[in-house]
Amino acid sequence: MKLPMPLSKNYLQILLLFPIICYSQFEFEESGSISLERPNDMYFDDVDSDGHLDIVTVGSDVTTVFYGNGNSVYNEVVIDSEMHDFGSSVYAFDSDNDGDLEIIVGGSLFISISTNLGDRKFETVDLITELPFYPQEVAIKSVITLGSLDFNNDGLLDLVGGNQADYDIFIMENLGNGQFTNGEIIYTNGDSDQNNNMLNQIKIIDFNEDGYDDIVTLFDEHVTLSLNDQAGGFSSEELISEPEANLYSFTIQDFNNDDIIDLAMVDFPDQLLIYYFNPNGTYNKEVTKVSTNSLISISSADVDLDGDYDLAFSTFIDGKVFFSLNENGRFQSHTLLKENFGASYVDFADLNGDGKADLVSRGLANDKIIWFENQTVLNIEDPNKVVVYPTIFSKGLTIENSTRNKIKYSIADFNGKIVLKGSSTSDQIQIPTDNLSSQSYILKILTDSKVFVRKILKSNE
């Protein structure tokens, strides 16, 4: 195979740092922690665009960014210390298309935006302080979950939220220049006085793979899918129904590599539920009992880099973290990874930028965020089989494939969200990247049961 010439300095550095790999052995090692009074929510992204993943958190009355440098050392910068009331959710996205991330916080009776001014400086203003689309008779009005999508195709990301008190999903249209509408309800779960089926979580994903983001919402007893109609509206339907359940948390991935989205969720206090969807919309359900009395959180990532998404789930009362490896689309018996350390919620993020998903726990009992570095042992494969260039790009990527086999590729952000994927048998694959925002990504290529990992960067130039 003819290598691209000349090889740039950046290309050589990335090739050495991210060799072609396959799974050998995995383990997690505790590598750091942050003390924060009641860490109600956290989000991961490169807030200052320095190539390192940062941790954005919201506590009871303060929003903080912990800026990372890739070696488990974080510089704490308080963004907002004068919140109106209890902050319960935090999210970051580029609301004005300037390449910088704004920070959105939702809580009891308010939503605020902290505009990124550069040099780790922010200006915080209220978007809403009364949430006027909520019935006044409801005592608790809490924005429990946030996300973003461009629902009206105007090139600006709009804000999506879920209200735990009224069971509503709402969208606030982005008007530009830091301005948003007050919000429009696109789905309601009914009369909050008559219904205890509380809203717990939303996920933004192109569920039907039509090129438009949809909204999947987890309630206590069911999952709702709100499909984007590509014309500024949504049609909602019940995707899964679990009467009498307590569905606290869920994760969405293609767990069995059939190119169809699947769901995994925890049913409090002790059940793990997996839904493998079929092409006709039906699903096969698997139920696993877990040795605990307070299962509350779940997250997924390809921890051992074998091409399958694995699961971590955690408990609220007894402080346990469990792990289940995915082998060829089926989850193995779960193992206890850690206990008695106050874990309430778990997530995955590549904190040190080595292309492997690290485990992060957020504890409300011990007021700590603790992370465990992924120590997976990797075997070096022949680096001439698959070559990716350029790894710093502005317009597109090329994959040179000399394996003579079909390969699958995916590009994910540092939060694990897949933003682009495809497959090909060609020996030279051109990947258009015009729709990717300027930031770092992880490119993963699967061929012959081996996984090739590259860290790539979309630049403005």
Side-chain angles (χ1 to χ4, degrees):
M1 180 190 67
K2 184 178 179 180
L3 290 173
M5 297 295 290
L7 292 177
S8 70
K9 179 180 179 181
N10 285 326
Y11 177 84
L12 289 171
Q13 288 175 337
I14 298 297
L15 190 62
L16 292 172
L17 289 172
F18 292 87
I20 297 169
I21 56 179
C22 69
Y23 162 71
S24 176
Q25 179 182 359
F26 89 95
E27 63 178 300
F28 288 102
E29 179 179 298
E30 185 172 341
S31 56
S33 66
I34 293 170
S35 295
L36 180 70
E37 183 179 355
R38 195 168 181 81
N40 296 321
D41 198 13
M42 62 183 175
Y43 188 78
F44 308 96
D45 216 319
D46 184 6
V47 178
D48 56 356
S49 302
D50 67 346
H52 300 298
L53 200 62
D54 308 310
I55 306 174
V56 187
T57 68
V58 60
S60 296
D61 57 2
V62 63
T63 305
T64 307
V65 179
F66 294 90
Y67 290 98
N69 60 8
N71 61 2
S72 296
V73 176
Y74 287 86
N75 181 23
E76 178 180 354
V77 177
V78 174
I79 301 303
D80 183 12
S81 60
E82 299 180 354
M83 282 191 291
H84 298 280
D85 203 346
F86 188 84
S88 54
S89 55
V90 66
Y91 182 70
F93 72 109
D94 184 5
S95 66
D96 51 10
N97 290 336
D98 66 349
D100 295 321
L101 297 176
E102 277 66 59
I103 297 174
I104 309 291
V105 172
S108 180
L109 298 174
F110 80 95
I111 299 175
S112 68
I113 181 170
S114 296
T115 302
N116 194 333
L117 306 177
D119 296 325
R120 299 185 176 180
K121 294 181 174 61
F122 289 81
E123 181 179 49
T124 302
V125 297
D126 294 324
L127 291 178
I128 291 179
T129 56
E130 291 296 334
L131 303 180
F133 45 88
Y134 295 156
Q136 294 301 310
E137 63 270 15
V138 178
I140 301 174
K141 307 169 185 178
S142 179
V143 179
I144 193 66
T145 180
L146 292 165
S148 65
L149 53 75
D150 181 9
F151 83 99
N152 53 0
N153 305 315
D154 64 353
L156 295 172
L157 288 174
D158 309 294
L159 185 62
V160 182
N163 173 39
Q164 194 174 45
D166 292 347
Y167 323 124
D168 299 327
I169 308 167
F170 61 87
I171 290 183
M172 298 170 61
E173 182 182 352
N174 188 344
L175 303 176
N177 299 317
Q179 302 297 312
F180 290 78
T181 61
N182 282 345
E184 176 183 353
I185 294 174
I186 65 167
Y187 176 83
T188 182
N189 195 41
D191 185 353
S192 58
D193 289 335
Q194 305 295 325
N195 193 339
N196 292 321
N197 197 357
M198 190 173 292
L199 188 155
N200 292 315
Q201 201 172 10
I202 61 171
K203 300 283 188 182
I204 310 297
I205 188 171
D206 183 5
F207 194 88
N208 55 357
E209 297 189 336
D210 63 353
Y212 293 83
D213 281 336
D214 310 300
I215 306 170
V216 186
T217 308
L218 179 71
F219 294 88
D220 281 348
E221 297 180 0
H222 72 274
V223 178
T224 295
L225 171 62
S226 299
L227 284 174
N228 191 328
D229 65 8
Q230 306 178 20
F234 290 85
S235 59
S236 297
E237 61 183 60
E238 190 173 88
L239 190 65
I240 294 172
S241 178
E242 289 289 348
E244 308 301 323
N246 290 287
L247 307 175
Y248 268 64
S249 176
F250 74 141
T251 183
I252 304 176
Q253 300 287 0
D254 178 9
F255 291 118
N256 54 0
N257 287 320
D258 63 354
D259 294 323
I260 302 174
I261 293 296
D262 308 307
L263 273 73
M265 59 187 75
V266 294
D267 179 13
F268 185 90
D270 61 359
Q271 289 195 135
L272 173 65
L273 311 179
I274 312 291
Y275 300 83
Y276 297 96
F277 276 84
N278 303 310
N280 62 0
T282 61
Y283 55 79
N284 301 318
K285 173 183 171 183
E286 292 186 0
V287 180
T288 302
K289 285 285 186 178
V290 183
S291 301
T292 182
N293 62 354
S294 60
L295 197 61
I296 197 172
S297 175
I298 189 170
S299 189
S300 58
D302 183 7
V303 170
D304 53 3
L305 296 171
D306 65 348
D308 299 321
Y309 283 93
D310 311 300
L311 293 175
F313 35 100
S314 63
T315 68
F316 184 76
I317 296 175
D318 47 4
K320 294 180 179 179
V321 174
F322 296 92
F323 192 82
S324 182
L325 273 180
N326 184 346
E327 294 186 8
N328 299 318
R330 285 297 179 264
F331 290 97
Q332 307 306 301
S333 298
H334 59 275
T335 58
L336 181 63
L337 182 66
K338 189 80 173 178
E339 64 179 329
N340 299 322
F341 79 117
S344 295
Y345 300 89
V346 288
D347 210 338
F348 287 106
D350 182 13
L351 293 182
N352 57 2
D354 65 352
K356 296 178 289 186
D358 306 308
L359 182 66
V360 187
S361 76
R362 172 170 56 91
L364 300 184
N366 61 3
D367 288 339
K368 280 188 176 181
I369 294 173
I370 304 174
W371 55 93
F372 300 81
E373 186 174 327
N374 188 338
Q375 298 286 331
T376 298
V377 178
L378 304 171
N379 292 330
I380 306 296
E381 296 293 324
D382 181 1
N384 294 321
K385 287 185 178 180
V386 175
V387 174
V388 179
Y389 62 90
T391 51
I392 299 178
F393 60 94
S394 59
K395 294 182 179 180
L397 284 170
T398 299
I399 300 176
E400 297 277 3
N401 172 28
S402 64
T403 65
R404 302 181 184 276
N405 295 309
K406 179 180 179 180
I407 69 171
K408 293 183 178 181
Y409 61 86
S410 64
I411 296 177
D413 62 19
F414 276 132
N415 288 294
K417 180 182 178 181
I418 295 177
V419 295
L420 191 155
K421 65 178 181 179
S423 62
S424 177
T425 57
S426 174
D427 58 2
Q428 186 177 85
I429 305 165
Q430 304 294 330
I431 304 178
T433 58
D434 293 343
N435 294 329
L436 296 184
S437 59
S438 298
Q439 64 181 70
S440 296
Y441 297 93
I442 296 297
L443 170 65
K444 186 180 296 183
I445 303 169
L446 177 64
T447 178
D448 276 349
S449 299
K450 295 180 177 64
V451 177
F452 302 70
V453 177
R454 296 285 185 271
K455 182 179 178 182
I456 58 178
L457 174 64
K458 171 73 178 289
S459 66
N460 290 318
E461 301 178 356

